[in-house]
Amino acid sequence: MTTDFKLSAESEPPRLGKLSKLARFGLLGAALTVAAGTFAYFGGWFIRDDLTPARFVDGFEQVNGVHAGFRRNHAKGMGVFGFFDSNGNGVRLSQAVIFQPGRVQVIGRFSLGGGHPDVSDKPDAVRGLALQFSLPNGELWRTAMINFPVFPFRTPEAFYEQLIASKPDPNTGKHDPGKMEEFLASHPETVQALTVIKGQPSSSGFDNSTFHSSNAFRFINSAGDSIPVRWIMTPMQPFESANNASIPQDKNYLFNALIAQIHRQPLRWRLIIVIGQPGDPTNDATIPWPAEREQVVVGTLTLDRVESDDTSAATDLNFDPLVLPVGIAPSDDPLLSARSAVYSQSFTRRAGETKQPSAIRPSDVRKGE
Amino acid sequence: MPTQRSQFTVFSRLLHWTMAAMILSMLCIGAAMVASLANYHVLISIHRPLGISILVLVVVRLVNRLLNPPPSFPATMSRAERLAATASEFTMYSLMFILPLIGWGMLSAARYPIILTRSLHLPFILPHDVTLYAALRKMHTILAYLFFLTFVAHFVAILYHALIVRDGILKRMAPWSIRLKNTVVDQNSVNK
Ligand code: HEM
Ligand code: HEM
Ligand code: HEM
């Protein structure tokens, strides 16, 4: 396989003719072009118009401005801690360790939708709850949910279009209603989703809000059966309707109420798994599943501590909805991979900035402790 | 009479081509995933384990290189070319170590779970620190692009020797074993 050989003068290759030399340099150039071109192709340098994670986050920044260190969406928020008690009912649905009976630690974050960290709390603003469950085997499960029964957009492209349509006019400071009408006219699924969302009565606070995964996922049990699911967190605090007529003066009234409630007693939610049937869309978060679908209560979430975004470890986490344990898998919903990509981009940008103080300061959180 | 092994050993060649394919795939996957919404999740799920495999293989490769030093440079290479070749090899070895380590380190600093396969997860090697994450994330991009440039230099140099100088350099790394007749070996570097 290896060869011994002697140096010999005859082995000198014959001189190349001018043409041959030219052709060989041409070949070299061609090989180089192919190598560089392949790399550029994969990097998307030839398709400038495609929506990329960077362009999506640029969109958030164009509409909301850049607020150093803050999330590009759900910028206003507050950290929470607690635990999840599993009752074992989920074991038959998913082999994820979290569903075995027992308690796991939870860190989370309540938030309001939108890229403004100092926005005033309003009853109809999107409320978010992001959670990370730390499983005993070292796995993590992250989920970021909102209080809407369905998501208004079917594709990431539609979300982006709406985002850009909502961009305020630099002169008037208001967005152009014509652009929004145009968007809705070409997105009937959003119109339908908004009807469903408006049909659900808004609750008075974070504590009595129901939070939805919106996206479908797949549960895989130890027998290998894979089923489509969505999940919801339903509050054990009694429902009270939001008072849309008189919005409190306090611009942080939703967060301040939450702080006071948690200082008084831990807040609790039931985690309910909704099991999809064949035909229920898994790739369209704008469509609700029929109300009669089987629902399995798999455990109880207890949140007993709050912390300002200025100090909470949750601030420095990316609640990427595709951080999943074995036993939970993504569905074919196009929003999921897109969320993963865009959250990563948002996280990377804010990680490199010096964060300004949050609306909810550590001193606010200590009040009434 | 000086004698000289003129081809890399079979194992060295196997490592070279396997890792070349892996690294070129990694560069393309990396560039593609950060530009894609629809394929991001699938691509990053390949990027992590493939990148860590490169880290494992480069350890094997370095040990192999120390045990089986490469055949000496062909006589057709000038001092400057040898220096350039050595420098680019050194750079590529360094990057094969550093790039995956930075990938692992930055995910640790951001507290992303580092999932390779269903049951194989890596531990965190750095404290939870997003400023550190941001710095490493930037380094990962810069060094990946540097790797691509070093590869291009390596590729062009090899093709230049193969097509223009025609000193049989490609044969030294050919995946198959060959009897080398046309390779000119530098008398001075033999028996070093
Ligand atoms: C393509 C669709 C979506 C895009 C582009 C998007 C974009 C974003 C971005 C950029 C962030 C900030 C991430 C960070 O810096 O950590 C974020 C946070 C959040 N998103 Fe989305 N989102 C999408 C869909 C959804 C859906 C369907 C839900 C709910 C079911 C949701 C709920 C949340 C919540 C709760 C947060 C705050 C998480 C936290 O507190 O860290 N998003 N989103
Ligand atoms: C990213 C991809 C590549 C990397 C990281 C790489 C790395 C290396 C390294 C480190 C060496 C030194 C020998 C060793 O220790 O293994 C080497 C030698 C070599 N490579 Fe590559 N290589 C790559 C791609 C290629 C390609 C595409 C070609 C084909 C044109 C090629 C042809 C060669 C040849 C012929 C040698 C032997 C040079 C000599 O005779 O000293 N390599 N490569
Ligand atoms: C030789 C090995 C590797 C190569 C050649 C490589 C290459 C790349 C490239 C080209 C990018 C895109 C950079 C950009 O344009 O910003 C990238 C991003 C990335 N790589 Fe690697 N990588 C390697 C190893 C790893 C490893 C071992 C990990 C983790 C275990 C990793 C994790 C990542 C992550 C998380 C991103 C960024 C994703 C995002 O920003 O959303 N890489 N890599």
Side-chain angles (χ1 to χ4, degrees):
Chain A
M1 28 152 295
T2 56
T3 329
D4 287 346
F5 75 99
K6 290 170 193 149
L7 183 68
S8 76
E10 298 94 55
S11 64
E12 194 81 56
R15 281 182 61 87
L16 288 173
K18 256 212 172 81
L19 212 65
S20 163
K21 200 162 188 170
L22 204 69
R24 280 158 182 266
F25 269 114
L27 199 63
L28 203 163
L32 182 62
T33 311
V34 168
T38 310
F39 190 54
Y41 169 77
F42 280 106
W45 296 349
F46 299 136
I47 28 177
R48 283 264 162 224
D49 292 342
D50 263 25
L51 184 54
T52 63
R55 281 196 62 203
F56 212 127
V57 175
D58 289 345
F60 279 113
E61 292 180 353
Q62 282 158 21
V63 173
N64 305 305
V66 179
H67 303 280
F70 288 93
R71 284 160 168 78
R72 283 357 186 204
N73 193 9
H74 289 258
K76 185 178 187 180
M78 182 171 71
V80 280
F81 296 87
F83 48 87
F84 175 75
D85 291 307
S86 165
N87 59 19
N89 290 345
V91 173
R92 73 182 168 92
L93 306 174
S94 163
Q95 59 179 309
V97 176
I98 184 165
F99 297 120
Q100 283 163 15
R103 174 171 290 188
V104 301
Q105 293 306 306
V106 171
I107 176 169
R109 183 173 176 270
F110 281 100
S111 60
L112 287 185
H116 284 285
D118 291 316
V119 67
S120 293
D121 295 359
K122 282 196 192 66
D124 57 349
V126 182
R127 294 171 204 162
L129 173 59
L131 298 171
Q132 167 178 283
F133 303 85
S134 299
L135 279 48
N137 64 350
E139 285 181 298
L140 299 174
W141 177 25
R142 293 185 187 157
T143 176
M145 300 167 287
I146 54 175
N147 68 331
F148 284 1
V150 289
F151 196 64
F153 314 108
R154 184 160 46 111
T155 61
E157 289 76 15
F159 187 174
Y160 180 76
E161 257 181 72
Q162 187 273 347
L163 181 68
I164 296 304
S166 74
K167 186 152 83 180
D169 184 294
N171 298 321
T172 63
K174 298 233 176 292
H175 75 258
D176 177 354
K179 283 190 182 147
M180 199 55 80
E181 271 163 34
E182 220 172 279
F183 170 80
L184 291 174
S186 58
H187 290 276
E189 76 281 4
T190 300
V191 177
Q192 278 202 321
L194 290 174
T195 315
V196 175
I197 291 164
K198 289 197 187 103
Q200 175 194 264
S202 191
S203 74
S204 59
F206 281 114
D207 66 309
N208 53 12
S209 293
T210 301
F211 294 96
H212 303 252
S213 70
S214 310
N215 300 123
F217 290 81
R218 300 201 76 83
F219 270 18
I220 299 123
N221 67 13
S222 46
D225 304 325
S226 165
I227 51 166
V229 299
R230 285 174 173 174
W231 55 77
I232 47 181
M233 284 279 183
T234 57
M236 293 168 76
Q237 292 66 242
F239 180 84
E240 200 184 306
S241 181
N243 184 351
N244 291 317
S246 74
I247 299 167
Q249 286 291 307
D250 176 8
K251 65 188 288 235
N252 301 328
Y253 82 92
L254 284 173
F255 286 97
N256 283 332
L258 181 67
I259 292 166
Q261 283 153 350
I262 289 195
H263 286 328
R264 226 175 296 132
Q265 66 183 81
L267 299 176
R268 294 169 13 116
W269 280 261
R270 286 195 185 88
L271 175 55
I272 296 177
I273 308 300
V274 183
I275 301 172
Q277 290 298 318
D280 292 347
T282 52
N283 60 356
D284 190 342
T286 64
I287 299 179
W289 285 355
E292 63 272 17
R293 288 292 172 261
E294 184 188 357
Q295 303 198 343
V296 182
V297 180
V298 295
T300 311
L301 169 74
T302 304
L303 297 176
D304 58 2
R305 201 150 64 79
V306 276
E307 201 171 325
S308 160
D309 253 1
D310 290 351
T311 50
S312 170
T315 308
D316 292 345
L317 290 179
N318 170 358
F319 289 92
D320 175 343
L322 291 184
V323 170
L324 302 168
V326 168
I328 309 181
S331 68
D332 55 353
D333 188 335
L335 294 179
L336 286 173
S337 177
R339 287 179 72 184
S340 214
V342 177
Y343 288 30
S344 170
Q345 179 67 218
S346 168
F347 179 76
T348 300
R349 290 194 193 181
R350 64 188 172 90
E353 300 161 348
T354 309
K355 190 171 167 296
Q356 300 303 304
S358 307
I360 320 295
R361 311 299 307 278
S363 55
D364 298 322
V365 171
R366 279 193 298 272
K367 255 183 253 158
E369 211 163 45
Chain B
M1 256 290 124
T3 61
Q4 166 68 17
R5 180 173 54 73
S6 56
Q7 228 187 348
F8 283 81
T9 66
V10 189
F11 189 55
S12 306
R13 283 178 278 143
L14 185 69
L15 277 172
H16 176 270
W17 292 112
T18 314
M19 292 187 71
M22 289 167 80
I23 291 163
L24 294 176
S25 308
M26 278 299 280
L27 288 168
C28 292
I29 290 172
M33 75 187 180
V34 297
S36 170
L37 295 175
N39 301 317
Y40 178 83
H41 181 65
V42 172
L43 292 176
I44 189 117
S45 308
I46 302 170
H47 194 84
R48 281 185 307 252
L50 193 56
I52 296 296
S53 323
I54 289 170
L55 181 60
V56 173
L57 283 181
V58 74
V59 175
V60 176
R61 185 165 175 179
L62 187 67
V63 171
N64 174 63
R65 184 164 165 135
L66 296 177
L67 296 178
N68 296 303
S72 35
F73 286 123
T76 44
M77 282 171 79
S78 68
R79 253 183 75 87
E81 278 182 303
R82 283 164 203 224
L83 214 70
T86 310
S88 82
E89 284 175 18
F90 179 80
T91 310
M92 288 193 287
Y93 268 95
S94 309
L95 288 172
M96 285 186 274
F97 273 103
I98 297 171
L99 205 47
L101 273 176
I102 289 184
W104 183 359
M106 75 194 190
L107 291 183
S108 302
R111 286 297 180 266
Y112 284 92
I114 305 154
I115 302 172
L116 299 188
T117 64
R118 267 171 70 88
S119 50
L120 185 59
H121 296 201
L122 293 181
F124 297 133
I125 51 173
L126 288 174
H128 187 187
D129 179 343
V130 291
T131 313
L132 185 60
Y133 162 79
L136 292 175
R137 176 66 187 80
K138 207 169 272 162
M139 290 259 282
H140 195 72
T141 302
I142 294 170
L143 292 181
Y145 283 73
L146 177 68
F147 205 158
F148 181 72
L149 291 180
T150 319
F151 160 72
V152 166
H154 177 63
F155 189 54
V156 168
I158 299 287
L159 287 187
Y160 176 75
H161 273 266
L163 290 169
I164 315 292
V165 185
R166 290 164 302 142
D167 51 6
I169 198 162
L170 257 181
K171 294 185 186 139
R172 288 156 55 90
M173 201 43 104
W176 51 88
S177 299
I178 31 178
R179 310 214 133 245
L180 292 153
K181 294 215 182 63
N182 284 336
T183 306
V184 185
V185 158
D186 180 0
Q187 200 73 85
N188 299 324
S189 65
V190 174
N191 289 343
K192 245 199 209 150

